[in-house]
Amino acid sequence: MSSIDVPLKKGGFGTTSRTDNWWAEPLLVFLGYMSFIVYATWAALQGNNYLCTAQCGGADYLSPMYSPLLIEQAPAWWPAFLPFSAAMLILPFPGLFRFTCYYYRGAYYKAFWADPISCSVGEPRSSYRGEKKFPLILQNVHRYFLYFAILFVFILLYDGYKALWFTGPDGAKHFGIGVGSLVLILNPILLGGYTFGCHSFRHLVGGMKDILSASPVRKTAYDCAGCLNRSHMKWAWVSMFFVGFADVYVRLCAMGIWHDWRIL
Amino acid sequence: MADKATFRIWRGGNGTGHFVDYATAISPGMVVLDAVHGIQAADANDMAVRWNCKAGKCGSCSAEINGKPRLMCMTRLNTLDLSVPVTVEPMKTFPHVRDLVTDVSWNYRVKTKIQKFKPRKPDAPDGTWRVQQADVDRPQEFRKCIECFLCQDVCHVLRDHNLHEEFIGPRFLIYTAQLEMNPLDTGDRLKDLKDRDGIGYCNITKCCTKVCPEEIKITDNAIIPLKERVVDEFFDPLGGLFKIIR
């Protein structure tokens, strides 16, 4: 690479000539992520009120943080000092999908690591490794978590479908719609908007090719992913908070604090 | 709009200098470059400023206005708070020459090292090619680049960490993407991208996209797709296995 001598002095952390509220965006991102991380950790540690049935008129509402509900009791290999709940085996997958997501990476490098805290604002550290070296080179694993995330979208869609069936007095399942049904159907739709707009997904369905016109299916898939990708940040935020809201909804209904309103 | 506004302009050479305040007459429709020219004509005849087209197409008048990398000719005064002095500084990522002028020649040296366009054999007997518009939509977005180097200026890898030796910067990542995604090109620049050009240094903060006057989606449409292609080639064992089996 060509060498360069840059004599202009750089300022220290936070030094900038910017006159706008450059600190507001990283602060909001920090607060937004922290609030979700704190709530999700708390909810995952509870291990109860994640399934609403009798309190929801015979519905089958399962919190997305506990889906798929495969193991309810701690397996034998689980370390005794660690609290266990079904969510703790599930959340790492969508959690790591988001952690390695290109949008989230850019956002938390700014908000949590100040690298940089905002554009054209001085940084706290002079050394820099980026994603070229360990440990952040591991972010390249993103597409593997994408595969899990796609699986989760379909699992949660199935949960949404199950939320449309209510156990009647006769013990049989009857079709119905409650507010909880809508919440649990909307949740995977929002997650799908986020997952299928993922940069890695867009790459895998067509971005890797220089010639897309030869395959109309691939071209259509690429265009659709690109369409979702243009609002990837919005999908990321809305879907993240809606997962939290869906858990809150199921939890409060299961606790009897909220009552599920049956629409149909 | 007030009749006068104050501009706090960096004066000096070779990285040394200081801000000087200039009050100048303003009128509706003016841009920062107009004000700088007014100051140059009336109060500071020796002030160095690079400009050419005054239409946002030549990329010459790049500077930092109130701390943000912008083209002076495309920054309208009615978008700025004129009740306080407007700061105008040279770009900080490149060697300072004088006043608002920096030496951006490093960029041209970088460009010469990127593997050139290498087209496939012509499709037609007359030595021409046939391509579909759908296949050139992506590289055409990158051809909008006017080489103002604002993206290079704002990139913290260059600006704060001075990794000019190891990282080519967003401008040349979109240049590489333009070549890599070209349906006619047969070159392979992925190893260079990973090793010599330092694509891994980009941590996707999208500052380059925010300052681009041509509104090229540098990060989403060029850098991340290139990162994904590098992953295909060097960091995806399952994908590599799949390619072998197929």
Coordinates of all heavy atoms in Angstrom, one line a residue, chain B residues 114-175:
Chain B
I114 N -4.8 -1.7 -7.6 CA -6.0 -2.6 -7.7 C -6.0 -3.3 -9.1 O -5.8 -2.6 -10.1 CB -7.3 -1.9 -7.4 CG1 -7.3 -1.4 -6.0 CG2 -8.5 -2.7 -7.7 CD1 -8.3 -0.4 -5.6
Q115 N -6.2 -4.6 -9.1 CA -6.2 -5.4 -10.3 C -7.2 -4.8 -11.3 O -8.3 -4.5 -11.0 CB -6.5 -6.8 -10.0 CG -6.2 -7.8 -11.1 CD -6.8 -9.2 -10.8 OE1 -7.6 -9.7 -11.5 NE2 -6.5 -9.7 -9.6
K116 N -6.7 -4.6 -12.5 CA -7.5 -3.9 -13.5 C -8.6 -4.8 -14.1 O -8.6 -6.0 -13.9 CB -6.6 -3.4 -14.7 CG -5.5 -2.5 -14.3 CD -6.1 -1.1 -14.0 CE -5.1 -0.1 -13.5 NZ -4.6 -0.3 -12.1
F117 N -9.6 -4.1 -14.8 CA -10.7 -4.8 -15.4 C -10.1 -5.8 -16.4 O -9.2 -5.5 -17.2 CB -11.5 -3.8 -16.1 CG -12.7 -4.3 -16.9 CD1 -13.7 -5.1 -16.3 CD2 -12.8 -4.1 -18.3 CE1 -14.8 -5.5 -17.0 CE2 -13.9 -4.6 -19.0 CZ -14.9 -5.3 -18.3
K118 N -10.6 -7.1 -16.3 CA -10.1 -8.2 -17.2 C -11.3 -8.8 -17.8 O -11.9 -9.8 -17.3 CB -9.3 -9.1 -16.3 CG -8.5 -10.1 -17.0 CD -7.7 -10.9 -16.0 CE -7.2 -12.2 -16.5 NZ -6.8 -13.1 -15.5
P119 N -11.7 -8.4 -19.0 CA -13.0 -8.9 -19.6 C -12.8 -10.3 -20.1 O -11.7 -10.7 -20.5 CB -13.3 -7.9 -20.7 CG -12.0 -7.3 -21.1 CD -11.1 -7.3 -19.8
R120 N -14.0 -11.0 -20.2 CA -13.9 -12.3 -20.8 C -13.8 -12.2 -22.3 O -13.8 -11.0 -22.8 CB -15.2 -13.1 -20.5 CG -16.5 -12.5 -21.1 CD -17.7 -13.2 -20.8 NE -18.8 -12.7 -21.5 CZ -20.0 -12.3 -21.0 NH1 -20.2 -12.4 -19.7 NH2 -21.0 -11.8 -21.8
K121 N -13.7 -13.3 -23.0 CA -13.6 -13.2 -24.5 C -14.9 -12.5 -25.1 O -16.0 -12.8 -24.6 CB -13.5 -14.6 -25.1 CG -12.0 -15.1 -25.3 CD -12.0 -16.5 -25.8 CE -12.6 -16.5 -27.2 NZ -12.6 -17.9 -27.8
P122 N -14.7 -11.7 -26.1 CA -15.9 -11.1 -26.7 C -17.0 -12.1 -27.1 O -16.7 -13.2 -27.5 CB -15.4 -10.3 -27.9 CG -13.9 -10.1 -27.6 CD -13.5 -11.3 -26.8
D123 N -18.3 -11.7 -26.9 CA -19.4 -12.6 -27.2 C -19.6 -12.6 -28.7 O -20.1 -13.6 -29.3 CB -20.7 -12.1 -26.5 CG -20.5 -12.1 -25.0 OD1 -19.7 -12.9 -24.5 OD2 -21.2 -11.3 -24.4
A124 N -19.4 -11.5 -29.4 CA -19.7 -11.4 -30.8 C -18.5 -11.3 -31.7 O -17.4 -11.0 -31.2 CB -20.6 -10.1 -31.0
P125 N -18.6 -11.7 -33.0 CA -17.4 -11.7 -33.8 C -16.8 -10.3 -34.0 O -15.7 -10.2 -34.4 CB -18.0 -12.2 -35.2 CG -19.3 -12.9 -34.8 CD -19.8 -12.3 -33.6
D126 N -17.7 -9.3 -33.8 CA -17.1 -8.0 -34.0 C -16.4 -7.5 -32.8 O -16.0 -6.3 -32.7 CB -18.2 -7.0 -34.4 CG -19.3 -6.8 -33.2 OD1 -19.1 -7.6 -32.2 OD2 -20.2 -6.0 -33.4
G127 N -16.1 -8.4 -31.8 CA -15.3 -8.0 -30.6 C -16.1 -7.3 -29.6 O -15.5 -6.6 -28.7
T128 N -17.4 -7.4 -29.5 CA -18.2 -6.8 -28.5 C -18.9 -7.8 -27.6 O -18.8 -9.0 -27.9 CB -19.3 -5.9 -29.1 OG1 -20.1 -6.7 -30.0 CG2 -18.7 -4.7 -29.9
W129 N -19.5 -7.3 -26.6 CA -20.1 -8.2 -25.6 C -21.6 -7.9 -25.5 O -22.1 -6.8 -25.9 CB -19.5 -7.9 -24.2 CG -18.1 -8.4 -24.0 CD1 -17.7 -9.6 -23.6 CD2 -16.9 -7.6 -24.3 NE1 -16.3 -9.6 -23.6 CE2 -15.8 -8.4 -24.0 CE3 -16.7 -6.3 -24.8 CZ2 -14.5 -8.0 -24.2 CZ3 -15.4 -5.9 -25.0 CH2 -14.3 -6.7 -24.6
R130 N -22.3 -8.8 -25.0 CA -23.8 -8.7 -24.7 C -24.0 -8.8 -23.2 O -23.6 -9.8 -22.6 CB -24.6 -9.7 -25.5 CG -24.4 -9.7 -27.0 CD -25.0 -8.4 -27.6 NE -24.7 -8.4 -29.0 CZ -23.6 -7.8 -29.6 NH1 -22.7 -7.2 -28.8 NH2 -23.5 -7.8 -30.9
V131 N -24.6 -7.8 -22.6 CA -24.9 -7.9 -21.2 C -26.3 -7.4 -20.9 O -26.8 -6.6 -21.7 CB -23.9 -7.0 -20.3 CG1 -22.5 -7.6 -20.3 CG2 -23.9 -5.6 -20.7
Q132 N -26.9 -7.9 -19.9 CA -28.3 -7.5 -19.5 C -28.2 -6.4 -18.5 O -27.3 -6.3 -17.7 CB -29.0 -8.7 -18.8 CG -29.2 -9.9 -19.7 CD -30.1 -9.6 -20.9 OE1 -31.2 -9.0 -20.7 NE2 -29.7 -10.0 -22.1
Q133 N -29.1 -5.4 -18.7 CA -29.1 -4.3 -17.7 C -29.2 -4.8 -16.3 O -28.6 -4.2 -15.4 CB -30.3 -3.4 -18.1 CG -30.4 -2.1 -17.2 CD -29.2 -1.3 -17.3 OE1 -28.7 -1.0 -18.3 NE2 -28.7 -0.8 -16.1
A134 N -30.0 -5.8 -16.1 CA -30.2 -6.3 -14.7 C -28.8 -6.7 -14.1 O -28.7 -6.7 -12.9 CB -31.1 -7.5 -14.7
D135 N -27.9 -7.1 -14.9 CA -26.6 -7.6 -14.4 C -25.6 -6.4 -14.2 O -24.6 -6.6 -13.5 CB -26.0 -8.6 -15.4 CG -26.8 -9.8 -15.4 OD1 -27.5 -10.2 -14.4 OD2 -26.9 -10.4 -16.5
V136 N -25.9 -5.3 -14.8 CA -25.0 -4.1 -14.6 C -25.5 -3.1 -13.6 O -24.9 -2.1 -13.4 CB -24.5 -3.5 -15.9 CG1 -23.6 -4.4 -16.7 CG2 -25.7 -3.1 -16.7
D137 N -26.8 -3.3 -13.1 CA -27.4 -2.4 -12.2 C -26.4 -2.1 -11.0 O -26.2 -1.0 -10.5 CB -28.7 -2.9 -11.7 CG -29.8 -2.6 -12.7 OD1 -29.6 -1.8 -13.6 OD2 -30.9 -3.2 -12.6
R138 N -25.9 -3.2 -10.4 CA -25.1 -3.1 -9.2 C -23.8 -2.3 -9.5 O -23.6 -1.3 -8.8 CB -24.8 -4.5 -8.6 CG -26.0 -5.1 -7.9 CD -25.6 -6.4 -7.2 NE -25.3 -7.4 -8.2 CZ -24.8 -8.6 -7.9 NH1 -24.5 -8.9 -6.7 NH2 -24.6 -9.5 -8.9
P139 N -23.0 -2.7 -10.5 CA -21.8 -1.9 -10.7 C -22.0 -0.5 -11.1 O -21.2 0.4 -10.8 CB -21.0 -2.7 -11.8 CG -21.9 -3.8 -12.2 CD -23.0 -4.0 -11.2
Q140 N -23.2 -0.3 -11.8 CA -23.5 1.1 -12.2 C -23.7 2.0 -11.0 O -23.4 3.2 -11.1 CB -24.7 1.1 -13.2 CG -24.3 0.8 -14.6 CD -25.4 0.9 -15.6 OE1 -26.6 0.9 -15.2 NE2 -25.1 0.9 -16.9
E141 N -24.2 1.5 -10.0 CA -24.4 2.4 -8.8 C -23.0 3.0 -8.4 O -22.9 4.1 -8.0 CB -25.0 1.6 -7.6 CG -25.2 2.5 -6.4 CD -25.6 1.8 -5.1 OE1 -25.7 0.5 -5.1 OE2 -25.9 2.5 -4.1
F142 N -22.0 2.1 -8.4 CA -20.7 2.5 -7.9 C -20.0 3.5 -8.9 O -19.1 4.2 -8.5 CB -19.8 1.3 -7.7 CG -20.5 0.3 -6.8 CD1 -20.4 -1.1 -7.1 CD2 -21.3 0.6 -5.7 CE1 -21.1 -2.0 -6.4 CE2 -21.9 -0.3 -5.0 CZ -21.8 -1.6 -5.3
R143 N -20.4 3.5 -10.2 CA -19.8 4.4 -11.1 C -20.3 5.8 -10.9 O -19.8 6.7 -11.6 CB -20.2 3.9 -12.6 CG -19.4 2.7 -13.0 CD -19.6 2.4 -14.4 NE -19.1 3.4 -15.3 CZ -17.8 3.4 -15.7 NH1 -17.0 2.5 -15.4 NH2 -17.4 4.4 -16.5
K144 N -21.3 6.0 -10.0 CA -21.7 7.4 -9.7 C -20.6 8.1 -8.9 O -20.7 9.4 -8.8 CB -23.0 7.4 -8.9 CG -24.2 6.9 -9.7 CD -25.5 7.2 -9.0 CE -25.6 6.6 -7.6 NZ -26.8 6.9 -6.9
C145 N -19.6 7.4 -8.4 CA -18.6 8.0 -7.5 C -17.9 9.1 -8.2 O -17.5 9.0 -9.3 CB -17.6 6.9 -7.0 SG -16.3 7.6 -6.0
I146 N -17.8 10.3 -7.5 CA -17.1 11.4 -8.1 C -15.7 11.6 -7.5 O -15.1 12.6 -7.8 CB -18.0 12.7 -7.9 CG1 -18.2 13.0 -6.4 CG2 -19.3 12.6 -8.7 CD1 -18.8 14.3 -6.1
E147 N -15.3 10.7 -6.7 CA -14.0 10.7 -6.1 C -13.7 12.0 -5.4 O -12.7 12.7 -5.6 CB -12.9 10.5 -7.1 CG -12.9 9.0 -7.7 CD -11.6 8.5 -8.2 OE1 -10.9 9.3 -8.8 OE2 -11.4 7.3 -8.0
C148 N -14.7 12.4 -4.5 CA -14.5 13.5 -3.6 C -13.7 13.2 -2.4 O -13.2 14.0 -1.7 CB -15.9 14.1 -3.2 SG -16.9 12.9 -2.3
F149 N -13.6 11.9 -2.1 CA -12.8 11.3 -1.0 C -13.4 11.7 0.4 O -12.6 11.6 1.3 CB -11.3 11.6 -1.2 CG -10.8 11.2 -2.5 CD1 -10.1 12.1 -3.3 CD2 -10.9 9.8 -2.9 CE1 -9.6 11.6 -4.5 CE2 -10.4 9.4 -4.1 CZ -9.8 10.3 -4.9
L150 N -14.6 12.1 0.4 CA -15.2 12.4 1.7 C -15.4 11.1 2.5 O -15.2 11.1 3.7 CB -16.6 13.0 1.5 CG -16.6 14.5 1.0 CD1 -18.1 14.9 0.8 CD2 -15.9 15.4 2.0
C151 N -15.6 10.0 1.8 CA -15.8 8.7 2.5 C -14.4 8.3 3.1 O -14.4 7.7 4.2 CB -16.3 7.6 1.6 SG -15.3 7.3 0.1
Q152 N -13.3 8.6 2.4 CA -12.0 8.2 2.9 C -11.7 9.1 4.1 O -11.1 8.7 5.1 CB -10.9 8.5 1.8 CG -11.2 7.8 0.5 CD -10.8 6.3 0.6 OE1 -11.5 5.5 1.2 NE2 -9.7 5.9 0.0
D153 N -12.2 10.4 4.0 CA -11.9 11.3 5.1 C -12.6 10.9 6.4 O -12.0 11.0 7.5 CB -12.4 12.7 4.7 CG -12.1 13.8 5.7 OD1 -11.0 13.7 6.3 OD2 -13.0 14.6 6.0
V154 N -13.8 10.5 6.3 CA -14.6 10.2 7.5 C -14.3 8.8 8.0 O -14.6 8.5 9.2 CB -16.1 10.3 7.2 CG1 -16.7 9.1 6.5 CG2 -16.9 10.6 8.5
C155 N -13.7 7.9 7.2 CA -13.5 6.5 7.7 C -12.5 6.5 8.9 O -11.3 7.0 8.7 CB -12.9 5.7 6.5 SG -12.5 4.0 7.1
H156 N -12.9 6.0 10.0 CA -12.1 6.1 11.2 C -10.8 5.3 11.1 O -9.8 5.5 11.8 CB -12.9 5.8 12.4 CG -13.2 4.3 12.6 ND1 -12.8 3.6 13.7 CD2 -13.7 3.4 11.7 CE1 -13.2 2.3 13.5 NE2 -13.7 2.2 12.4
V157 N -10.8 4.3 10.2 CA -9.7 3.4 10.0 C -8.5 4.3 9.5 O -7.3 4.1 9.9 CB -10.0 2.2 9.1 CG1 -8.7 1.3 9.0 CG2 -11.1 1.4 9.6
L158 N -8.8 5.2 8.6 CA -7.8 6.1 8.0 C -7.7 7.3 8.9 O -6.6 7.7 9.2 CB -8.2 6.5 6.6 CG -8.4 5.3 5.6 CD1 -9.0 5.8 4.3 CD2 -7.1 4.6 5.4
R159 N -8.8 7.9 9.3 CA -8.8 9.2 10.0 C -8.2 9.1 11.4 O -7.4 9.9 11.7 CB -10.3 9.6 10.1 CG -10.5 11.0 10.7 CD -12.0 11.2 10.9 NE -12.2 12.5 11.4 CZ -12.5 13.6 10.7 NH1 -12.5 13.5 9.4 NH2 -12.7 14.7 11.3
D160 N -8.6 8.1 12.1 CA -8.1 8.0 13.5 C -7.0 7.0 13.7 O -6.2 7.2 14.7 CB -9.3 7.6 14.4 CG -10.3 8.7 14.5 OD1 -10.1 9.7 15.1 OD2 -11.4 8.5 14.0
H161 N -6.9 6.0 12.9 CA -5.9 5.0 13.1 C -4.8 5.0 12.0 O -3.8 4.2 12.2 CB -6.5 3.6 13.1 CG -7.6 3.5 14.2 ND1 -7.2 3.6 15.6 CD2 -8.9 3.4 14.2 CE1 -8.4 3.5 16.3 NE2 -9.4 3.4 15.5
N162 N -4.9 5.9 11.1 CA -3.8 6.1 10.1 C -3.3 4.8 9.4 O -2.1 4.6 9.2 CB -2.6 6.8 10.7 CG -2.9 8.2 11.1 OD1 -3.8 8.8 10.5 ND2 -2.2 8.8 12.0
L163 N -4.3 3.9 9.1 CA -3.9 2.6 8.6 C -3.8 2.7 7.0 O -4.3 1.7 6.3 CB -4.8 1.5 9.1 CG -4.6 1.1 10.5 CD1 -5.7 0.2 11.0 CD2 -3.3 0.5 10.8
H164 N -3.3 3.8 6.5 CA -3.2 3.9 5.1 C -2.4 2.9 4.4 O -2.6 2.6 3.2 CB -2.6 5.3 4.8 CG -3.4 6.5 5.2 ND1 -3.5 6.8 6.6 CD2 -4.2 7.4 4.6 CE1 -4.3 7.9 6.7 NE2 -4.7 8.2 5.5
E165 N -1.5 2.3 5.2 CA -0.6 1.3 4.6 C -1.3 -0.1 4.4 O -0.9 -0.9 3.6 CB 0.6 1.0 5.5 CG 1.6 2.2 5.6 CD 2.5 2.2 4.5 OE1 2.6 1.2 3.7 OE2 3.2 3.3 4.3
E166 N -2.4 -0.3 5.2 CA -3.0 -1.6 5.3 C -4.4 -1.6 4.8 O -5.1 -2.7 4.7 CB -2.9 -2.1 6.7 CG -1.5 -2.3 7.2 CD -1.6 -2.6 8.7 OE1 -2.2 -3.6 9.1 OE2 -0.9 -1.8 9.5
F167 N -5.0 -0.4 4.5 CA -6.5 -0.4 4.2 C -6.7 0.6 3.1 O -6.2 1.7 3.2 CB -7.2 0.1 5.5 CG -8.7 0.1 5.3 CD1 -9.4 -1.0 4.9 CD2 -9.4 1.3 5.6 CE1 -10.8 -0.9 4.8 CE2 -10.8 1.4 5.4 CZ -11.5 0.3 5.1
I168 N -7.4 0.2 2.1 CA -7.6 1.0 0.9 C -8.7 2.0 1.1 O -8.8 3.0 0.3 CB -7.8 0.2 -0.4 CG1 -9.1 -0.7 -0.3 CG2 -6.6 -0.6 -0.7 CD1 -9.4 -1.5 -1.5
G169 N -9.6 1.8 2.1 CA -10.7 2.8 2.3 C -11.9 2.5 1.5 O -11.9 1.8 0.5
P170 N -13.1 3.1 1.9 CA -14.3 2.9 1.2 C -14.3 3.2 -0.3 O -15.0 2.5 -1.1 CB -15.3 3.7 1.9 CG -14.6 4.4 3.0 CD -13.2 4.0 3.0
R171 N -13.7 4.3 -0.7 CA -13.7 4.6 -2.1 C -13.2 3.5 -3.0 O -13.7 3.1 -4.0 CB -12.9 5.9 -2.4 CG -12.4 6.1 -3.8 CD -13.6 6.1 -4.8 NE -13.1 6.0 -6.2 CZ -13.7 5.3 -7.1 NH1 -14.8 4.6 -6.8 NH2 -13.3 5.2 -8.3
F172 N -12.1 2.8 -2.5 CA -11.5 1.8 -3.4 C -12.1 0.4 -3.1 O -11.9 -0.5 -3.9 CB -10.0 1.8 -3.2 CG -9.5 3.2 -3.8 CD1 -9.0 4.1 -2.9 CD2 -9.6 3.5 -5.1 CE1 -8.7 5.4 -3.4 CE2 -9.3 4.7 -5.6 CZ -8.8 5.7 -4.7
L173 N -12.9 0.3 -2.0 CA -13.7 -0.9 -1.9 C -14.8 -0.9 -2.9 O -15.2 -1.9 -3.5 CB -14.2 -1.0 -0.4 CG -13.0 -1.4 0.6 CD1 -13.6 -1.4 2.0 CD2 -12.4 -2.7 0.3
I174 N -15.4 0.3 -3.1 CA -16.5 0.3 -4.1 C -16.0 0.2 -5.5 O -16.6 -0.3 -6.4 CB -17.5 1.6 -4.0 CG1 -16.8 2.9 -4.3 CG2 -18.2 1.6 -2.7 CD1 -17.8 4.0 -4.5
Y175 N -14.8 0.7 -5.7 CA -14.1 0.6 -7.0 C -13.9 -0.9 -7.3 O -14.1 -1.4 -8.4 CB -12.8 1.4 -7.0 CG -12.0 1.2 -8.3 CD1 -12.5 1.7 -9.5 CD2 -10.8 0.6 -8.3 CE1 -11.8 1.6 -10.7 CE2 -10.0 0.5 -9.5 CZ -10.6 1.0 -10.7 OH -9.9 0.8 -11.8

